[in-house]
Amino acid sequence: MPNTIPEKPPHTSNPPPPVFTSQPALHVTNICNFIPITLDQESAQYATWVEFFTIHACAYNVLDHIDSTVPQPSDVNDATWKRLDASVKQWIYGTIHEDLIYTIMKPGATALELWKRLEDLFQDNKHTGVIYLEQQFSNLRLENFSNMTEYYI
């Protein structure tokens, strides 16, 4: 009897291994190395922060997460896109002051939504002024004034 190896039935063949594409944006561990300023409401550095952030997003091919006019790359599946979006959100939160984090944070928001909230905050001078005054008011302490008249002035 000849020694032959039986063929595997088609239903038991192994599936091809999954294809993993490495996304450089997922490997950024310290965003502050790339964006050297922390955005806050009191300093006039919004345009500078946007420029640094946009350059970084472009270099890591995630500009579509902060610019609605840039189409989502066709070679990125939905699961990877969500992971990239989470990374961009981490970059945003990691480069803004804590007060701004609490101002723009919205559970379930995309990076683009957070980006637009920041833009609205800094581009709308009336709104920015109100938030700044609210912040100043909330930091007022009566014990820092010598009398009530000084407190009300």
Side-chain angles (χ1 to χ4, degrees):
M1 190 167 221
N3 241 351
T4 60
I5 300 174
E7 287 186 35
K8 284 186 176 181
H11 66 278
T12 62
S13 64
N14 293 332
V19 176
F20 293 103
T21 56
S22 178
Q23 298 290 336
L26 298 174
H27 303 288
V28 175
T29 58
N30 189 351
I31 190 64
C32 296
N33 288 338
F34 300 97
I35 302 173
I37 60 173
T38 301
L39 180 63
D40 65 39
Q41 285 184 263
E42 294 182 21
S43 59
Q45 59 195 18
Y46 175 71
T48 304
W49 178 85
V50 166
E51 180 66 11
F52 277 125
F53 204 99
T54 304
I55 290 168
H56 186 71
C58 183
Y60 282 88
N61 200 27
V62 289
L63 204 51
D64 58 310
H65 294 266
I66 60 170
D67 185 345
S68 59
T69 65
V70 176
Q72 179 179 335
S74 59
D75 63 335
V76 176
N77 64 35
D78 287 342
T80 302
W81 192 92
K82 286 180 182 179
R83 287 187 67 206
L84 289 168
D85 200 62
S87 291
V88 175
K89 286 169 55 174
Q90 287 177 328
W91 296 351
I92 291 171
Y93 288 138
T95 58
I96 64 177
H97 192 271
E98 184 177 342
D99 291 342
L100 283 175
I101 292 172
Y102 297 124
T103 302
I104 68 160
M105 185 177 277
K106 179 182 170 192
T110 64
L112 182 59
E113 289 172 309
L114 298 179
W115 186 261
K116 292 290 186 190
R117 289 170 73 97
L118 277 172
E119 182 179 55
D120 291 346
L121 189 64
F122 283 92
Q123 299 300 333
D124 180 8
N125 291 334
K126 287 182 184 178
H127 186 64
T128 302
V130 168
I131 290 174
Y132 177 72
L133 289 173
E134 285 176 353
Q135 184 179 11
Q136 279 187 318
F137 180 73
S138 67
N139 291 331
L140 284 177
R141 302 287 179 255
L142 187 56
E143 62 265 12
N144 294 336
F145 297 92
S146 59
N147 58 43
M148 291 298 286
T149 304
E150 189 177 312
Y151 175 77
Y152 284 109
I153 294 179

